[in-house]
Amino acid sequence: MNAGYNLGPVDQVPFGEGRAFGVDGVQVAVFRLRDGSLRALSAVCPHKGGPIADGTIDQDLVLCPLHQNAFRLDTGCSTTGAEPLTSYDVQTDNHQNIILRMSAW
Amino acid sequence: MPGPVSLTKGRRPPGKPDTRRRLVVIGNGMAGARAVEEILARGGAEQFTITMFGDEPYGNYNRIMLSHVLSGEESDADIFLNSLHWYQDNNITLHAGVRVERIDRFTKYVFANNGHVVPYDVLIIATGSQSFMPPMDGLYTPSGSIKPGVFTFRTIDDTRNMVEHAQYEDHYRAVVIGGGLLGLEAARGLQSHGIEVDVVHSGAHLMNAQMGPDGGAILRRSVEALGIRVHTGSRTTAVLGADRVTGVRLRDRPDIACDMVVVAAGIRPNVDLAVLSGLHVERATVVDDQLRVVDEDSIYAVGECVQHRGEVYGLVAPLWEQAAVLADHVTGADTTAAYLGSRTATKLKVAGVEVASMGLTGPERETDEHIVFSEPSRGVFKSIVIRDNKMVGATLLGDSRKVAYLTQAFDKGLPLPEERISLMFDLGGPAEEQGVAELSDDAQVCNCNGVSKKSLVDVVRGGCNTVAGAMDATRAGKGCGSCKLLVKQVVEWAADGSVEEDPAASYYVPGIPLDKASLMAAIRKQGLRSVSAVFAALAPGSAEDAKSKMGLASLMKMMLADQYIDERDARFINDRVHANIQRDGTFSVVPQMKGGVTSVQQLRRIADVAEKHNIPLIKLTGGQRIDLLGVPKEDLPQVWADLDMPSGYAYGKSFRTVKTCVGKDFCRYGTGDSTKLGIEIESQFQGIEAPAKLKLAVSGCPRNCAESLVKDVGVVAVEGGRWEIYVGGAAGAHIRKGDLLASVDDPEKVKVLTGRFMQYYRENANWLERTYSFVPRVGIDHIRAVVVDDAQGLAAGLDAAMQASVDSYVDPWTERDDPLTPGQFRTSLPLTVLPQVPVR
Ligand SMILES: Cc1cc2nc3c(=O)[nH]c(=O)nc-3n(C[C@H](O)[C@H](O)[C@H](O)COP(=O)(O)OP(=O)(O)OC[C@H]3O[C@@H](n4cnc5c(N)ncnc54)[C@H](O)[C@@H]3O)c2cc1C
Ligand code: SF4
Ligand code: FES
């Protein structure tokens, strides 16, 4: 298993928001929930290409800002009938850096 | 048949005293169980230990569905609302099959017929009704029991017994006594077991409680066409037969031979228990607006056993409303909640005929208008009663396509179209009003999100039968919202009458089960200052809800002004970066241009910025400003810095623009200085938050070049130095001419009333409810009374609250120098090429 990509300090992502990162030629939206845990999804809405990292989130869902399709933060599945997003394994390491693993799970 | 069962679970471990109060509920029918559900939903499990008594040996079931059980369309197992497990899971002690015989209201005990004596701190009586037995000979056997073959139609046991009797091989014929809703249902149900049915009705026409004689006559034809014989204006005087039923005797007609008799001649509230226990009983147990039994501190009553403001209700809709208010009080969730009575509208399929009825069945006063359409051969009848341009009653038979609209007009007292006939028929009207059944499958219901009738119907068939649920699943109605009524009609049509009441419809935001007034009260009472604090304190399970965040953020900013703790994640992206997101993920930037007036310097600056940043599209907006489209998020701070002008608020749910005409200084016709007044209004109220966007205008004369009549607030100068103020206008997805709020002689007064109206709207409108819905919903007369005449003494408070918001205004574009959150302006754009906003 690869060691994952280090995306830098977790502080780049404010609590309750998402930020987009380019990783290995792919755009990934990383969210930091209000409880501090992280989620990562592919950053392009399958509906009409909306910027997922700009979405509004809660503990479970992200709403795409363009037409409000909703996606589960843990699996990427849509609750509003859109195609799913890809979800990625994301964690912080001991230095509070974001570590992303690209092999989808 | 199961005997009495008592379920107890969740006893506390010994040694730990239970400090919760004891709630006892008598009656386990639709109202009793609903009240308990509502109480649990308000956190009642922490406050109370709950004990319920039910005379019937079951959990709680949907009594309405008994008609379907009788006809065999539904099995009796399918109609349970709460199984016995529900009681266990919620730690409710249920005594099923046990009857309470007496309440001691001084020592606070109830006494049950199985010897149980149970203490209470709070008691709820929900004993419902029983069938009324009209006096006639031969009803009872000599031993005092009801004669075999005679049935009432009230409980699951009644229904099972009837089905069993009807299925006996040598039983062919039944007489139903009573030609109301219940009698006709019974008649139709029995037919499905191959029984021939006669209905004997003492009234002059069928369903006389719900409709007038003409409708009754047409209903009779439809019912007779089904093969049911109808005898109106006739009474049964005796049930014939020695030890079993052989027929009935009528007062003035020949006997009718039969094998069974079903009595459906009305209901009587169950008040014996209340009378015996010394409670205040008239026609039923009398309660106040809090559902508390009159003169009692700890006894409440709910449902059909209740008399409120002189009314006794026999339908479920009112008891849903009662249960919610009762729960608010019992749990203390909202001690200001009040039940003010229900307007009952019935919409049913009675014996296969669609019947809808609300309010008056015919004119009562000389000035009442009565509009009737009757087409007996098709079994169609429509009647509408109008008083003072408000609908006060309607009956629809055989065609209920307009029922959604009419119910709304009746409930809300909406003003009616001048062409009354359009109330009954769709005369080539706009798409919303077309009969839903006639829409083709691929007809687009929601234009913003491109949702077809078929996709809505599919989710309903897939088991989603609330309007809000279907909207969530398809995103229909989530754009401009103008299609919501049509969406509702489609869902109702697709669910074929089984749409579920959606409690969330009254919530201000979906994630918090409170309406706006209660939500605001709770925020104030608990001193909540941020959106996350609201979720923690008021959301079920303290769960955040993304869909609720923006609405809460806006509401709290309005309420708390600078006391509000602004959490950026609660904002929509537009409000996080103060620009309007476009379809390609770039943003549009609109600098302020008060009243549509600009200057050489401003124009030059805008031109320079557009050039420097390669703005792909420069466009004049409908609100008289210049829009710079296609700005990437990461460029926003630099664009603002280069512009060095305040934000024009083209993105928020907030006050946006005041459009003006050239007015008195230049125009040949102008009588007032519309430009000056518009600029002043815009300067004063810039950027304030509201439940939806606010667009204003000021015109210098009634020619209305600024289109003031179709604005949220529109001002028009008229002869004699006066200004007319219109509110609730719209020229968007909806078109509506504003209502005249006031006519004043001083521009200062225009500003005061504008601010006061906007504050009233801010405090009372639903989330995303534009003024064009809000004003007709609340009524211009009421708004005028509050805002102009200060009839409720609210004016000073409204003015002060608005002033607090005005004072706390900060131009958000100043964040350009000092981003509030890390990466606030960092791009979220995908690397792949998206459809770009076209460059011309
Ligand atoms: C066949 C049928 C069809 C109907 N169709 C419709 C319809 O289409 N639409 C509509 O709006 N309404 C309809 N109704 C009316 C609706 O069912 C009632 O309005 C509703 O059930 C009233 O609820 P409730 O809780 O007040 O009374 P109930 O549901 O009658 O519940 C009262 C319960 O209290 C119990 N009880 C009484 N006294 C005691 C005591 N002393 N101790 C313990 N328990 C006691 C009773 O056994 C009963 O279970 C229909 C009713 C029937 C019978
Ligand atoms: S509304 Fe009247 S004053 Fe204003 S520009 Fe038009 S005509 Fe002139
Ligand atoms: S692009 Fe995401 S919902 Fe339309």
Side-chain angles (χ1 to χ4, degrees):
Chain A
M1 193 190 209
N2 72 38
Y5 295 86
N6 185 337
L7 305 185
V10 70
D11 292 345
Q12 301 167 79
V13 188
F15 288 106
E17 295 191 40
R19 293 288 180 257
F21 294 84
V23 187
D24 205 9
V26 182
Q27 276 255 323
V28 177
V30 175
F31 296 94
R32 191 176 185 198
L33 308 193
R34 281 202 147 258
D35 67 8
S37 62
L38 298 179
R39 304 283 185 277
L41 298 172
S42 45
V44 187
C45 180
H47 176 231
K48 298 240 169 115
I52 291 296
D54 280 346
T56 310
I57 65 165
D58 54 29
Q59 286 292 122
D60 301 315
L61 297 176
V62 54
L63 305 181
C64 174
L66 290 197
H67 314 96
Q68 276 69 52
N69 269 309
F71 301 88
R72 296 200 56 87
L73 286 167
D74 49 3
T75 61
C77 292
S78 171
T79 60
T80 47
E83 296 294 306
L85 292 166
T86 312
S87 73
Y88 302 102
D89 180 15
V90 66
Q91 261 138 29
T92 46
D93 66 8
N94 298 338
H95 309 285
Q96 293 301 302
N97 286 323
I98 303 171
I99 306 296
L100 183 89
R101 288 192 176 81
M102 288 295 286
S103 52
W105 56 308
Chain B
M1 184 158 309
V5 246
S6 291
L7 297 172
T8 319
K9 208 196 140 195
R11 292 249 159 84
R12 303 238 153 176
K16 275 234 176 114
D18 192 337
T19 53
R20 291 176 297 173
R21 290 184 292 159
R22 293 160 299 199
L23 174 70
V24 173
V25 183
I26 307 176
N28 184 29
M30 299 193 75
R34 181 62 165 234
V36 170
E37 285 176 26
E38 296 277 354
I39 288 171
L40 292 175
R42 288 165 180 71
E46 274 94 67
Q47 298 184 28
F48 297 105
T49 60
I50 304 177
T51 307
M52 297 185 76
F53 286 92
D55 202 5
E56 297 181 67
Y58 309 104
N60 159 253
Y61 61 86
N62 188 344
R63 202 170 298 284
I64 296 178
M65 299 305 281
L66 289 179
S67 310
H68 296 248
V69 174
L70 180 63
S71 65
E73 287 162 59
E74 207 95 27
S75 98
D76 48 14
D78 291 337
I79 67 166
F80 281 90
L81 295 170
N82 294 314
S83 67
L84 295 177
H85 287 291
W86 178 81
Y87 296 87
Q88 280 180 341
D89 293 344
N90 285 290
N91 284 335
I92 298 168
T93 308
L94 171 68
H95 300 285
V98 179
R99 182 176 185 75
V100 171
E101 304 202 299
R102 194 166 67 80
I103 304 162
D104 188 322
R105 45 201 256 271
F106 302 106
T107 57
K108 298 194 176 176
Y109 280 99
V110 301
F111 298 84
N113 66 350
N114 66 348
H116 266 77
V117 179
V118 178
Y120 66 84
D121 298 303
V122 176
L123 180 68
I124 297 175
I125 301 177
T127 49
S129 314
Q130 55 184 297
S131 309
F132 169 63
M133 280 289 189
M136 53 185 138
D137 294 334
L139 260 186
Y140 300 94
T141 60
S143 68
S145 57
I146 288 190
K147 185 177 286 176
V150 177
F151 300 90
T152 54
F153 188 17
R154 179 77 200 170
T155 65
I156 208 165
D157 287 345
D158 291 341
T159 313
R160 284 174 179 165
N161 294 340
M162 250 191 284
V163 170
E164 197 187 341
H165 195 84
Q167 286 175 342
Y168 266 43
E169 265 177 40
D170 58 342
H171 290 166
Y172 307 107
R173 209 165 159 189
V175 171
V176 173
I177 301 177
L181 194 156
L182 210 55
L184 294 178
E185 285 286 325
R188 185 70 177 145
L190 289 172
Q191 269 197 324
S192 57
H193 299 283
I195 301 275
E196 262 185 69
V197 189
D198 288 63
V199 172
V200 179
H201 184 55
S202 61
H205 61 268
L206 293 176
M207 283 185 74
N208 48 333
Q210 286 86 11
M211 64 184 75
D214 301 334
I218 290 180
L219 177 61
R220 177 186 188 133
R221 283 179 64 137
S222 305
V223 167
E224 285 177 337
L226 298 170
I228 295 170
R229 279 184 291 266
V230 176
H231 314 265
T232 48
S234 184
R235 244 173 231 284
T236 29
T237 54
V239 175
L240 306 177
D243 47 6
R244 63 175 192 93
V245 174
T246 59
V248 295
R249 173 148 300 151
L250 303 189
R251 189 176 49 194
D252 46 6
R253 284 171 221 187
D255 295 351
I256 305 175
C258 64
D259 319 296
M260 66 190 289
V261 172
V262 176
V263 184
I267 54 173
R268 291 293 174 267
N270 282 324
V271 293
D272 291 356
L273 172 68
V275 172
L276 189 76
S277 310
L279 303 181
H280 187 77
V281 176
E282 290 173 8
R283 282 195 299 147
T285 308
V286 183
V287 296
D288 61 18
D289 291 354
Q290 281 78 53
L291 282 313
R292 204 177 269 131
V293 175
V294 167
D295 295 333
E296 301 297 327
D297 288 335
S298 22
I299 308 183
Y300 293 79
V302 60
E304 277 187 353
C305 63
V306 152
Q307 176 179 332
H308 171 265
R309 298 195 180 186
E311 294 287 330
V312 179
Y313 297 98
L315 291 169
V316 294
L319 67 86
W320 287 172
E321 295 172 35
Q322 293 173 353
V325 173
L326 183 149
D328 277 338
H329 281 275
V330 166
T331 57
D334 178 7
T335 49
T336 63
Y339 174 67
L340 303 174
S342 300
R343 311 193 77 177
T344 47
T346 333
K347 184 183 162 218
L348 306 157
K349 245 198 171 114
V350 179
V353 184
E354 289 198 60
V355 179
S357 139
M358 55 203 97
L360 300 185
T361 60
E364 283 180 350
R365 297 188 194 159
E366 215 158 88
T367 50
D368 287 350
E369 286 176 65
H370 191 201
I371 300 151
V372 182
F373 170 84
S374 163
E375 193 183 354
S377 60
R378 279 204 308 136
V380 174
F381 176 82
K382 305 184 181 195
S383 132
I384 295 176
V385 187
I386 298 173
R387 178 176 298 165
D388 303 332
N389 205 27
K390 300 265 158 68
M391 207 184 96
V392 291
T395 310
L396 302 180
L397 257 186
D399 173 3
S400 54
R401 269 177 296 171
K402 291 292 265 189
V403 75
Y405 171 68
L406 290 176
T407 313
Q408 216 186 354
F410 176 74
D411 284 345
K412 301 193 175 164
L414 300 180
L416 303 178
E418 261 168 48
E419 273 203 69
R420 306 300 200 208
I421 190 143
S422 60
L423 289 167
M424 289 185 178
F425 303 99
D426 305 308
L427 302 167
E432 286 109 299
E433 316 232 309
Q434 254 169 38
V436 165
E438 286 158 19
L439 286 179
S440 66
D441 271 357
D442 59 0
Q444 192 146 309
V445 174
C446 170
N447 291 326
C448 295
N449 289 325
V451 182
S452 66
K453 171 179 166 188
K454 182 167 186 306
S455 29
L456 269 172
V457 171
D458 287 346
V459 300
V460 175
R461 303 262 149 89
C464 169
N465 55 353
T466 65
V467 177
M471 282 173 56
D472 276 348
T474 59
R475 286 173 306 120
K478 302 255 165 174
C480 72
S482 66
C483 61
K484 274 189 196 154
L485 181 63
L486 185 59
V487 171
K488 178 160 175 270
Q489 288 175 337
V490 171
V491 172
E492 282 170 352
W493 173 80
D496 200 13
S498 66
V499 240
E500 277 162 25
E501 180 74 13
D502 177 17
S506 66
Y507 301 166
Y508 189 64
V509 291
I512 311 251
L514 293 172
D515 62 27
K516 183 167 188 174
S518 320
L519 175 60
M520 287 172 65
I523 290 173
R524 289 220 172 84
K525 189 163 153 222
Q526 305 191 26
L528 306 173
R529 287 177 56 200
S530 68
V531 171
S532 60
V534 169
F535 284 125
L538 304 176
S542 294
E544 286 182 89
D545 175 42
K547 292 195 202 87
S548 307
K549 283 184 163 183
M550 186 184 176
L552 284 176
S554 162
L555 178 74
M556 295 182 75
K557 180 99 193 292
M558 184 275 285
M559 290 174 63
L560 305 173
D562 59 352
Q563 293 297 301
Y564 169 62
I565 301 173
D566 180 12
E567 290 163 339
R568 286 297 162 127
D569 66 302
R571 299 179 169 204
F572 183 61
I573 184 66
N574 282 4
D575 299 305
R576 272 185 253 152
V577 301
H578 320 293
N580 201 354
I581 193 166
Q582 305 292 321
R583 61 180 295 195
D584 60 358
T586 63
F587 291 82
S588 94
V589 168
V590 180
Q592 189 176 55
M593 205 170 271
K594 291 176 187 171
V597 173
T598 181
S599 65
V600 170
Q601 291 73 19
Q602 204 177 15
L603 286 173
R604 186 171 292 133
R605 178 92 49 80
I606 292 173
D608 288 344
V609 170
E611 191 170 49
K612 171 174 172 195
H613 291 273
N614 288 320
I615 299 296
L617 182 69
I618 307 168
K619 170 97 184 63
L620 297 186
T621 71
Q624 298 183 331
R625 299 181 296 189
I626 296 175
D627 195 353
L628 304 176
L629 288 128
V631 182
K633 191 171 156 203
E634 60 274 26
D635 290 353
L636 288 171
Q638 195 54 52
V639 169
W640 296 335
D642 292 341
L643 281 171
D644 197 21
M645 290 176 216
S647 167
Y649 284 90
Y651 43 84
K653 303 298 172 206
S654 64
F655 176 99
R656 293 194 172 183
T657 46
V658 183
K659 197 169 169 178
T660 65
C661 72
V662 296
K664 149 168 127 187
D665 283 357
F666 292 92
C667 178
R668 285 184 291 148
Y669 304 105
T671 60
D673 195 345
S674 50
T675 313
K676 173 164 180 271
L677 179 55
I679 292 174
E680 286 173 7
I681 294 176
E682 187 159 341
S683 311
Q684 186 164 352
F685 301 114
Q686 56 193 345
I688 62 158
E689 316 265 330
K693 60 189 171 194
L694 284 163
K695 295 178 168 180
L696 283 66
V698 184
S699 297
C701 85
R703 286 172 188 78
N704 250 316
C705 293
E707 295 155 349
S708 299
L709 295 181
V710 289
K711 294 293 173 189
D712 293 293
V713 180
V715 182
V716 182
V718 294
E719 257 329 305
R722 296 186 70 81
W723 301 85
E724 288 182 338
I725 307 172
Y726 292 84
V727 295
H734 278 267
I735 301 189
R736 179 175 196 274
K737 177 174 174 292
D739 297 322
L740 181 64
L741 176 71
S743 166
V744 298
D745 53 12
D746 173 4
E748 286 309 312
K749 286 189 194 149
V750 172
K751 285 190 260 173
V752 170
L753 292 182
T754 297
R756 201 181 288 162
F757 165 76
M758 290 197 297
Q759 184 64 21
Y760 185 69
Y761 163 71
R762 297 203 307 155
E763 291 184 10
N764 293 283
N766 295 323
W767 175 235
L768 303 184
E769 181 181 38
R770 292 286 305 268
T771 62
Y772 64 71
S773 312
F774 173 75
V775 170
R777 173 167 72 80
V778 177
I780 186 66
D781 294 336
H782 180 76
I783 293 174
R784 191 179 299 121
V786 173
V787 170
V788 184
D789 307 329
D790 195 15
Q792 301 186 357
L794 298 175
L798 292 170
D799 294 349
M802 178 53 98
Q803 192 58 45
S805 291
V806 166
D807 291 344
S808 70
Y809 170 76
V810 181
D811 176 24
W813 283 2
T814 54
E815 273 171 25
R816 60 188 172 238
D817 305 325
D818 187 11
L820 242 126
T821 52
Q824 182 178 1
F825 299 106
R826 170 172 163 163
T827 182
S828 291
L829 278 186
L831 302 177
T832 46
V833 181
L834 284 181
Q836 300 278 304
V837 171
V839 179
R840 280 169 222 272

